[in-house]
Amino acid sequence: MKRVAILGGGPAGAFAAEQLASAGLGVILIDEKLAWEKPCGGGLTHKAYSQYPFLIDNAMPKRVVTETVLAAPKARAVTLKLGEPLLVYSRFDLNRMLLERAERAGAQVEKARVTEMSRRGPGWQLRTSGGIVDADFCIVATGARNPLRNVGTELTPPDTMSALGYYVPGEQAGIDIQFLPQLEGYIWIFPRCGHLSVGICGKGEPAGSLRKRLEHFMNERGLPWKGASFYSHLLPSLDTGSWRKNRVAGEGWMAVGDAAGLVDPITGEGLYYAIRSADLAARSLLSASGDLAARMAQYRVLLRRDFAADLEYASRLAKRVFLGRFLRGSVPTRMVQFTARSPRFAAIMQDLFAGRQPYLGLKRRLMRNLNGSLYEIVMSLGFSRLVPRGEPAKP
Ligand SMILES: Cc1cc2nc3c(=O)[nH]c(=O)nc-3n(C[C@H](O)[C@H](O)[C@H](O)COP(=O)(O)OP(=O)(O)OC[C@H]3O[C@@H](n4cnc5c(N)ncnc54)[C@H](O)[C@@H]3O)c2cc1C
Protein backbone atom coordinates (compact mmCIF):
# COMPACT_ATOMS: atom_id res chain seq x y z
CA MET A 1 0.00 0.00 0.00
CA LYS A 2 1.46 3.34 -1.05
CA ARG A 3 -1.18 6.00 -0.61
CA VAL A 4 -3.96 6.40 1.92
CA ALA A 5 -6.62 9.08 1.50
CA ILE A 6 -8.23 10.43 4.66
CA LEU A 7 -11.64 11.94 3.98
CA GLY A 8 -12.34 14.58 6.64
CA GLY A 9 -9.87 16.39 8.86
CA GLY A 10 -11.63 16.65 12.22
CA PRO A 11 -9.99 15.01 15.27
CA ALA A 12 -10.52 11.49 13.87
CA GLY A 13 -9.14 12.18 10.39
CA ALA A 14 -6.28 14.37 11.55
CA PHE A 15 -5.10 11.85 14.15
CA ALA A 16 -5.33 8.94 11.68
CA ALA A 17 -3.30 11.01 9.20
CA GLU A 18 -0.64 11.72 11.80
CA GLN A 19 -0.31 8.08 12.81
CA LEU A 20 -0.13 6.73 9.25
CA ALA A 21 2.22 9.44 7.97
CA SER A 22 4.53 8.92 10.98
CA ALA A 23 4.76 5.24 10.00
CA GLY A 24 5.94 6.25 6.54
CA LEU A 25 2.78 5.81 4.45
CA GLY A 26 1.91 8.39 1.80
CA VAL A 27 -1.11 10.21 3.24
CA ILE A 28 -3.39 12.82 1.73
CA LEU A 29 -6.00 14.36 4.04
CA ILE A 30 -8.90 16.17 2.39
CA ASP A 31 -11.27 18.44 4.32
CA GLU A 32 -13.64 21.02 2.95
CA LYS A 33 -13.08 23.42 5.87
CA LEU A 34 -9.87 22.34 7.62
CA ALA A 35 -9.66 24.03 11.04
CA TRP A 36 -13.11 25.34 11.94
CA GLU A 37 -15.35 25.96 14.94
CA LYS A 38 -17.32 22.72 14.66
CA PRO A 39 -20.42 22.89 16.87
CA CYS A 40 -19.18 21.16 20.01
CA GLY A 41 -18.70 21.69 23.74
CA GLY A 42 -14.99 21.02 23.23
CA GLY A 43 -14.74 19.07 26.52
CA LEU A 44 -11.93 16.51 26.81
CA THR A 45 -11.94 14.03 29.67
CA HIS A 46 -9.04 12.69 31.71
CA LYS A 47 -9.43 9.41 29.81
CA ALA A 48 -8.48 11.27 26.62
CA TYR A 49 -5.48 13.28 27.79
CA SER A 50 -4.07 10.54 30.03
CA GLN A 51 -3.84 8.25 26.99
CA TYR A 52 -2.78 11.03 24.61
CA PRO A 53 -0.78 13.44 26.81
CA PHE A 54 -0.16 15.89 23.94
CA LEU A 55 -3.82 16.86 24.38
CA ILE A 56 -2.92 18.57 27.66
CA ASP A 57 0.81 19.27 27.18
CA ASN A 58 0.58 21.94 24.50
CA ALA A 59 0.51 25.70 24.13
CA MET A 60 -3.03 25.89 22.72
CA PRO A 61 -5.50 28.02 24.71
CA LYS A 62 -7.81 25.84 26.79
CA ARG A 63 -9.72 25.95 30.05
CA VAL A 64 -8.84 23.54 32.82
CA VAL A 65 -12.03 22.89 34.77
CA THR A 66 -11.93 21.35 38.23
CA GLU A 67 -15.55 21.42 39.33
CA THR A 68 -19.01 20.86 37.98
CA VAL A 69 -22.41 21.87 39.32
CA LEU A 70 -25.09 19.21 38.85
CA ALA A 71 -28.76 20.12 39.02
CA ALA A 72 -32.04 18.30 38.43
CA PRO A 73 -35.72 19.03 39.05
CA LYS A 74 -36.62 18.91 42.75
CA ALA A 75 -32.96 18.52 43.79
CA ARG A 76 -30.76 21.22 45.20
CA ALA A 77 -27.75 21.85 42.93
CA VAL A 78 -24.54 20.20 44.10
CA THR A 79 -20.94 21.07 43.33
CA LEU A 80 -18.83 18.06 42.44
CA LYS A 81 -15.07 18.52 42.64
CA LEU A 82 -13.48 16.78 39.69
CA GLY A 83 -10.65 14.53 40.83
CA GLU A 84 -9.16 14.92 37.36
CA PRO A 85 -9.86 18.16 35.53
CA LEU A 86 -11.82 18.43 32.30
CA LEU A 87 -10.19 20.41 29.48
CA VAL A 88 -12.32 22.70 27.35
CA TYR A 89 -11.01 23.72 23.93
CA SER A 90 -12.39 25.81 21.14
CA ARG A 91 -12.80 23.37 18.28
CA PHE A 92 -10.97 25.70 15.93
CA ASP A 93 -7.88 25.47 18.16
CA LEU A 94 -8.16 21.72 18.76
CA ASN A 95 -8.64 20.94 15.06
CA ARG A 96 -5.78 23.27 14.10
CA MET A 97 -3.42 21.61 16.55
CA LEU A 98 -4.28 18.12 15.27
CA LEU A 99 -3.99 19.14 11.61
CA GLU A 100 -0.61 20.77 12.24
CA ARG A 101 0.61 17.57 13.89
CA ALA A 102 -0.56 15.57 10.84
CA GLU A 103 1.28 17.93 8.49
CA ARG A 104 4.44 17.81 10.59
CA ALA A 105 4.31 14.00 10.43
CA GLY A 106 4.36 14.26 6.62
CA ALA A 107 0.67 14.15 5.60
CA GLN A 108 -0.38 16.26 2.63
CA VAL A 109 -3.34 18.40 3.74
CA GLU A 110 -5.77 19.65 1.08
CA LYS A 111 -8.77 21.95 1.42
CA ALA A 112 -11.46 20.44 -0.80
CA ARG A 113 -14.83 18.72 -0.64
CA VAL A 114 -14.98 15.03 -1.55
CA THR A 115 -18.06 14.56 -3.71
CA GLU A 116 -17.71 10.98 -4.84
CA MET A 117 -15.58 7.89 -4.27
CA SER A 118 -15.47 4.98 -6.67
CA ARG A 119 -13.48 1.76 -6.93
CA ARG A 120 -10.65 1.68 -9.48
CA GLY A 121 -9.17 -1.84 -9.49
CA PRO A 122 -7.97 -2.60 -5.96
CA GLY A 123 -7.92 1.12 -5.05
CA TRP A 124 -10.07 4.24 -5.17
CA GLN A 125 -10.65 7.27 -7.31
CA LEU A 126 -11.98 10.29 -5.42
CA ARG A 127 -13.74 13.18 -7.07
CA THR A 128 -13.15 16.38 -5.10
CA SER A 129 -13.83 20.08 -5.59
CA GLY A 130 -10.09 20.37 -6.32
CA GLY A 131 -9.84 17.55 -8.88
CA ILE A 132 -9.29 13.79 -8.95
CA VAL A 133 -7.33 11.94 -6.26
CA ASP A 134 -6.23 8.29 -6.51
CA ALA A 135 -5.60 6.22 -3.40
CA ASP A 136 -5.01 2.62 -2.40
CA PHE A 137 -7.08 2.82 0.78
CA CYS A 138 -9.56 5.28 2.35
CA ILE A 139 -10.13 6.31 5.95
CA VAL A 140 -13.62 7.81 6.20
CA ALA A 141 -13.67 10.59 8.83
CA THR A 142 -16.39 12.84 7.47
CA GLY A 143 -18.28 13.17 10.76
CA ALA A 144 -21.93 12.65 11.70
CA ARG A 145 -23.21 14.24 8.50
CA ASN A 146 -21.18 11.91 6.30
CA PRO A 147 -22.40 12.60 2.76
CA LEU A 148 -20.78 9.45 1.30
CA ARG A 149 -23.63 6.96 1.30
CA ASN A 150 -21.79 3.67 0.78
CA VAL A 151 -19.21 3.94 3.52
CA GLY A 152 -19.41 4.50 7.28
CA THR A 153 -22.30 4.05 9.69
CA GLU A 154 -25.79 4.09 8.22
CA LEU A 155 -27.41 6.45 10.73
CA THR A 156 -31.20 6.18 11.00
CA PRO A 157 -33.19 8.75 13.06
CA PRO A 158 -33.25 6.50 16.20
CA ASP A 159 -29.43 6.44 16.03
CA THR A 160 -29.02 10.18 16.41
CA MET A 161 -29.77 13.04 18.73
CA SER A 162 -29.86 16.75 18.11
CA ALA A 163 -27.38 18.99 19.86
CA LEU A 164 -27.56 22.76 19.70
CA GLY A 165 -26.68 25.85 21.66
CA TYR A 166 -25.33 29.38 21.89
CA TYR A 167 -21.94 30.95 22.45
CA VAL A 168 -22.55 33.77 24.90
CA PRO A 169 -20.29 36.30 26.56
CA GLY A 170 -19.53 35.31 30.14
CA GLU A 171 -17.09 33.79 32.52
CA GLN A 172 -17.37 31.07 35.15
CA ALA A 173 -14.93 28.63 36.71
CA GLY A 174 -16.81 25.33 36.54
CA ILE A 175 -19.16 23.55 34.18
CA ASP A 176 -22.91 23.23 34.81
CA ILE A 177 -24.96 20.17 33.97
CA GLN A 178 -28.73 20.54 34.23
CA PHE A 179 -31.10 17.58 33.86
CA LEU A 180 -34.65 18.35 32.74
CA PRO A 181 -37.95 16.52 33.21
CA GLN A 182 -38.64 13.91 30.54
CA LEU A 183 -35.52 14.59 28.51
CA GLU A 184 -33.12 11.86 27.40
CA GLY A 185 -30.29 14.37 27.44
CA TYR A 186 -29.17 17.44 29.36
CA ILE A 187 -28.17 21.10 29.24
CA TRP A 188 -24.54 22.13 29.70
CA ILE A 189 -22.68 25.37 30.34
CA PHE A 190 -19.00 25.05 29.46
CA PRO A 191 -16.59 27.91 30.19
CA ARG A 192 -14.43 28.56 27.15
CA CYS A 193 -11.57 31.04 26.74
CA GLY A 194 -13.45 34.37 26.57
CA HIS A 195 -17.04 33.06 26.41
CA LEU A 196 -19.46 30.34 27.51
CA SER A 197 -20.81 27.51 25.38
CA VAL A 198 -24.37 26.81 26.51
CA GLY A 199 -26.05 23.85 24.85
CA ILE A 200 -28.56 21.05 25.00
CA CYS A 201 -28.66 17.53 23.60
CA GLY A 202 -31.61 15.19 23.61
CA LYS A 203 -32.73 12.01 21.95
CA GLY A 204 -36.20 11.54 20.50
CA GLU A 205 -37.10 15.22 20.72
CA PRO A 206 -37.22 17.64 17.76
CA ALA A 207 -34.52 20.31 17.60
CA GLY A 208 -37.14 23.09 17.82
CA SER A 209 -38.43 21.88 21.14
CA LEU A 210 -34.90 21.38 22.51
CA ARG A 211 -34.13 24.95 21.51
CA LYS A 212 -37.21 26.21 23.39
CA ARG A 213 -36.15 24.29 26.50
CA LEU A 214 -32.67 25.77 26.26
CA GLU A 215 -33.89 29.35 25.77
CA HIS A 216 -36.25 28.98 28.71
CA PHE A 217 -33.33 27.77 30.86
CA MET A 218 -31.14 30.65 29.66
CA ASN A 219 -33.86 33.19 30.44
CA GLU A 220 -34.10 31.81 33.97
CA ARG A 221 -30.31 31.98 34.36
CA GLY A 222 -30.10 35.48 32.88
CA LEU A 223 -27.93 34.24 30.00
CA PRO A 224 -28.61 36.42 26.93
CA TRP A 225 -29.36 34.25 23.88
CA LYS A 226 -30.96 36.87 21.64
CA GLY A 227 -28.31 37.99 19.17
CA ALA A 228 -25.86 35.34 20.44
CA SER A 229 -24.17 33.03 17.96
CA PHE A 230 -26.27 29.85 17.53
CA TYR A 231 -24.90 26.40 16.67
CA SER A 232 -26.47 23.03 15.98
CA HIS A 233 -25.30 19.67 14.71
CA LEU A 234 -26.18 16.01 14.64
CA LEU A 235 -24.79 13.74 17.33
CA PRO A 236 -24.61 9.97 16.69
CA SER A 237 -26.29 8.05 19.50
CA LEU A 238 -26.59 4.48 18.25
CA ASP A 239 -29.49 2.38 19.47
CA THR A 240 -28.50 -0.93 21.05
CA GLY A 241 -29.35 -3.01 17.95
CA SER A 242 -27.34 -0.71 15.70
CA TRP A 243 -24.04 -1.31 17.51
CA ARG A 244 -23.93 -4.95 16.37
CA LYS A 245 -24.53 -4.16 12.70
CA ASN A 246 -22.50 -0.95 12.73
CA ARG A 247 -20.70 -0.53 9.37
CA VAL A 248 -17.20 0.50 10.48
CA ALA A 249 -15.16 -1.09 7.68
CA GLY A 250 -15.59 -2.49 4.19
CA GLU A 251 -13.57 -3.37 1.13
CA GLY A 252 -10.76 -0.82 0.97
CA TRP A 253 -11.99 1.49 3.73
CA MET A 254 -12.35 1.98 7.47
CA ALA A 255 -14.53 4.59 9.19
CA VAL A 256 -13.46 6.46 12.32
CA GLY A 257 -15.03 8.91 14.79
CA ASP A 258 -18.56 10.20 14.20
CA ALA A 259 -18.62 8.73 10.67
CA ALA A 260 -18.50 5.35 12.45
CA GLY A 261 -21.14 6.39 15.03
CA LEU A 262 -18.58 6.20 17.87
CA VAL A 263 -20.11 8.52 20.47
CA ASP A 264 -21.11 7.83 24.08
CA PRO A 265 -24.92 7.52 23.95
CA ILE A 266 -25.26 8.92 27.48
CA THR A 267 -22.84 11.84 27.67
CA GLY A 268 -22.43 12.62 23.95
CA GLU A 269 -18.64 12.44 24.38
CA GLY A 270 -17.14 11.86 20.95
CA LEU A 271 -13.72 13.52 20.90
CA TYR A 272 -11.95 10.73 22.77
CA TYR A 273 -13.60 8.04 20.63
CA ALA A 274 -12.70 9.93 17.45
CA ILE A 275 -9.02 9.96 18.41
CA ARG A 276 -9.03 6.46 19.85
CA SER A 277 -10.76 4.89 16.83
CA ALA A 278 -8.30 6.68 14.52
CA ASP A 279 -5.47 5.18 16.56
CA LEU A 280 -6.98 1.68 16.37
CA ALA A 281 -7.68 2.00 12.63
CA ALA A 282 -4.09 3.11 11.99
CA ARG A 283 -2.71 0.25 14.09
CA SER A 284 -4.84 -2.29 12.22
CA LEU A 285 -3.85 -0.91 8.84
CA LEU A 286 -0.17 -0.90 9.76
CA SER A 287 -0.32 -4.38 11.27
CA ALA A 288 2.27 -6.64 9.68
CA SER A 289 0.08 -9.73 9.73
CA GLY A 290 -2.70 -10.74 7.36
CA ASP A 291 -4.16 -9.31 4.17
CA LEU A 292 -6.37 -6.22 4.05
CA ALA A 293 -9.52 -8.16 4.93
CA ALA A 294 -7.80 -9.54 8.03
CA ARG A 295 -6.72 -6.04 9.05
CA MET A 296 -10.25 -4.75 8.74
CA ALA A 297 -11.51 -7.65 10.83
CA GLN A 298 -8.83 -6.78 13.36
CA TYR A 299 -10.09 -3.17 13.47
CA ARG A 300 -13.61 -4.40 14.30
CA VAL A 301 -12.27 -6.62 17.07
CA LEU A 302 -10.05 -3.89 18.53
CA LEU A 303 -12.92 -1.39 18.56
CA ARG A 304 -15.23 -3.79 20.30
CA ARG A 305 -12.66 -4.79 22.92
CA ASP A 306 -11.46 -1.27 23.52
CA PHE A 307 -14.72 0.63 23.96
CA ALA A 308 -17.54 -0.28 21.54
CA ALA A 309 -18.93 -3.04 23.79
CA ASP A 310 -19.02 -0.51 26.64
CA LEU A 311 -20.84 2.08 24.51
CA GLU A 312 -23.30 -0.56 23.33
CA TYR A 313 -24.07 -1.29 26.96
CA ALA A 314 -24.41 2.45 27.62
CA SER A 315 -27.04 2.63 24.87
CA ARG A 316 -29.09 0.15 26.92
CA LEU A 317 -28.69 2.23 30.07
CA ALA A 318 -29.39 5.66 28.55
CA LYS A 319 -33.18 5.64 28.87
CA ARG A 320 -32.99 4.43 32.47
CA VAL A 321 -30.41 7.06 33.38
CA PHE A 322 -32.46 9.99 32.07
CA LEU A 323 -36.06 8.78 32.27
CA GLY A 324 -36.01 6.03 34.91
CA ARG A 325 -37.35 6.16 38.47
CA PHE A 326 -35.64 5.16 41.71
CA LEU A 327 -37.06 5.39 45.25
CA ARG A 328 -40.14 7.22 43.88
CA GLY A 329 -38.07 9.99 42.30
CA SER A 330 -36.50 10.43 38.88
CA VAL A 331 -33.04 8.89 38.46
CA PRO A 332 -31.34 12.27 37.66
CA THR A 333 -32.90 13.81 40.79
CA ARG A 334 -31.69 10.92 42.92
CA MET A 335 -28.25 11.09 41.29
CA VAL A 336 -27.89 14.76 42.25
CA GLN A 337 -29.21 14.15 45.78
CA PHE A 338 -26.95 11.14 46.33
CA THR A 339 -23.94 13.08 45.05
CA ALA A 340 -24.66 15.74 47.66
CA ARG A 341 -25.10 13.33 50.52
CA SER A 342 -22.82 10.37 49.89
CA PRO A 343 -19.04 10.71 49.41
CA ARG A 344 -18.98 7.16 48.03
CA PHE A 345 -21.57 8.01 45.40
CA ALA A 346 -19.77 11.30 44.62
CA ALA A 347 -16.56 9.31 44.03
CA ILE A 348 -18.39 7.19 41.45
CA MET A 349 -19.67 10.34 39.74
CA GLN A 350 -16.12 11.76 39.69
CA ASP A 351 -14.88 8.61 37.99
CA LEU A 352 -17.70 8.77 35.46
CA PHE A 353 -16.76 12.36 34.62
CA ALA A 354 -13.10 11.44 34.28
CA GLY A 355 -13.97 8.48 32.05
CA ARG A 356 -12.35 6.11 34.56
CA GLN A 357 -15.51 4.14 35.31
CA PRO A 358 -16.69 2.00 32.37
CA TYR A 359 -20.45 1.46 32.08
CA LEU A 360 -19.83 -2.28 32.12
CA GLY A 361 -19.06 -2.73 35.81
CA LEU A 362 -20.97 0.37 36.93
CA LYS A 363 -23.93 -1.61 38.21
CA ARG A 364 -21.65 -3.91 40.18
CA ARG A 365 -19.84 -0.94 41.74
CA LEU A 366 -23.13 0.78 42.58
CA MET A 367 -24.46 -2.38 44.21
CA ARG A 368 -21.23 -2.95 46.09
CA ASN A 369 -21.46 0.57 47.47
CA LEU A 370 -25.23 0.65 47.93
CA ASN A 371 -25.26 -0.08 51.65
CA GLY A 372 -22.45 2.36 52.29
CA SER A 373 -24.05 5.07 50.17
CA LEU A 374 -27.46 4.65 51.79
CA TYR A 375 -25.82 4.70 55.20
CA GLU A 376 -24.07 7.97 54.33
CA ILE A 377 -27.31 9.44 53.00
CA VAL A 378 -29.27 8.47 56.09
CA MET A 379 -26.56 9.93 58.31
CA SER A 380 -26.48 13.15 56.31
CA LEU A 381 -30.23 13.50 56.79
CA GLY A 382 -29.68 13.81 60.52
CA PHE A 383 -30.61 10.28 61.52
CA SER A 384 -27.25 9.75 63.23
CA ARG A 385 -28.92 10.59 66.53
CA LEU A 386 -31.20 7.56 66.11
CA VAL A 387 -28.39 5.06 65.65
CA PRO A 388 -27.31 3.44 68.93
CA ARG A 389 -23.79 4.43 69.84
CA GLY A 390 -21.06 2.18 68.49
CA GLU A 391 -23.21 0.41 65.90
CA PRO A 392 -23.61 -0.36 63.16
CA ALA A 393 -20.01 -0.11 62.04
CA LYS A 394 -19.81 2.09 58.97
CA PRO A 395 -19.95 -0.32 55.97
C1 LIG B 1 -23.26 20.41 20.08
C2 LIG B 1 -22.25 19.33 20.30
C3 LIG B 1 -21.48 19.33 21.45
C4 LIG B 1 -20.50 18.36 21.64
N1 LIG B 1 -19.71 18.42 22.74
C5 LIG B 1 -18.73 17.50 22.92
C6 LIG B 1 -17.84 17.60 24.02
O1 LIG B 1 -17.89 18.55 24.82
N2 LIG B 1 -16.91 16.63 24.18
C7 LIG B 1 -16.79 15.59 23.32
O2 LIG B 1 -15.94 14.72 23.52
N3 LIG B 1 -17.60 15.49 22.23
C8 LIG B 1 -18.54 16.44 22.00
N4 LIG B 1 -19.33 16.36 20.89
C9 LIG B 1 -19.05 15.32 19.88
C10 LIG B 1 -17.84 15.73 19.02
O3 LIG B 1 -18.06 17.02 18.50
C11 LIG B 1 -17.65 14.74 17.86
O4 LIG B 1 -17.73 13.43 18.37
C12 LIG B 1 -16.31 14.94 17.17
O5 LIG B 1 -16.24 16.16 16.51
C13 LIG B 1 -16.06 13.81 16.15
O6 LIG B 1 -14.88 14.06 15.42
P1 LIG B 1 -14.75 13.55 13.91
O7 LIG B 1 -13.39 13.90 13.47
O8 LIG B 1 -15.21 12.16 13.81
O9 LIG B 1 -15.84 14.40 13.10
P2 LIG B 1 -15.94 16.03 12.83
O10 LIG B 1 -15.28 16.70 13.94
O11 LIG B 1 -17.34 16.24 12.55
O12 LIG B 1 -15.03 16.18 11.55
C14 LIG B 1 -15.50 15.80 10.28
C15 LIG B 1 -14.73 16.61 9.24
O13 LIG B 1 -15.07 16.13 7.95
C16 LIG B 1 -15.18 17.20 7.06
N5 LIG B 1 -16.04 16.76 5.96
C17 LIG B 1 -17.30 16.29 6.01
N6 LIG B 1 -17.73 15.93 4.79
C18 LIG B 1 -16.71 16.20 3.95
C19 LIG B 1 -16.54 16.02 2.54
N7 LIG B 1 -17.50 15.52 1.77
N8 LIG B 1 -15.37 16.40 2.00
C20 LIG B 1 -14.37 16.91 2.76
N9 LIG B 1 -14.48 17.08 4.08
C21 LIG B 1 -15.63 16.70 4.67
C22 LIG B 1 -15.76 18.32 7.89
O14 LIG B 1 -15.41 19.59 7.36
C23 LIG B 1 -15.11 18.08 9.26
O15 LIG B 1 -13.96 18.87 9.45
C24 LIG B 1 -20.32 17.32 20.67
C25 LIG B 1 -21.11 17.31 19.52
C26 LIG B 1 -22.06 18.31 19.34
C27 LIG B 1 -22.88 18.28 18.06
Side-chain angles (χ1 to χ4, degrees), residues 64 73 79 94 102 106 126 197 215 231 282 301 327 352 365 372 378 391:
V64 179
T79 300
L94 182 65
L126 308 178
S197 166
E215 287 167 358
Y231 59 84
V301 171
L327 296 177
L352 281 168
R365 183 168 172 201
V378 169
E391 60 168 307

Side-chain angles (χ1 to χ4, degrees), residues 65-81:
V65 177
T66 55
E67 64 180 40
T68 178
V69 176
L70 300 173
K74 297 188 191 154
R76 200 178 297 158
V78 57
T79 300
L80 178 73
K81 293 274 174 218

Side-chain angles (χ1 to χ4, degrees), residues 8-12 30-33 36 38-43 91 112-114 141-143 147 163 188 190 231 233-235 256-258 263 268-271 274:
I30 309 162
D31 191 295
E32 59 183 330
K33 297 183 188 141
W36 66 296
K38 193 237 154 186
C40 183
R91 281 299 302 271
R113 179 172 174 78
V114 180
T142 37
W188 68 84
F190 276 18
Y231 59 84
H233 209 278
L234 201 64
L235 198 53
V256 290
D258 280 16
V263 172
E269 177 183 8
L271 289 170

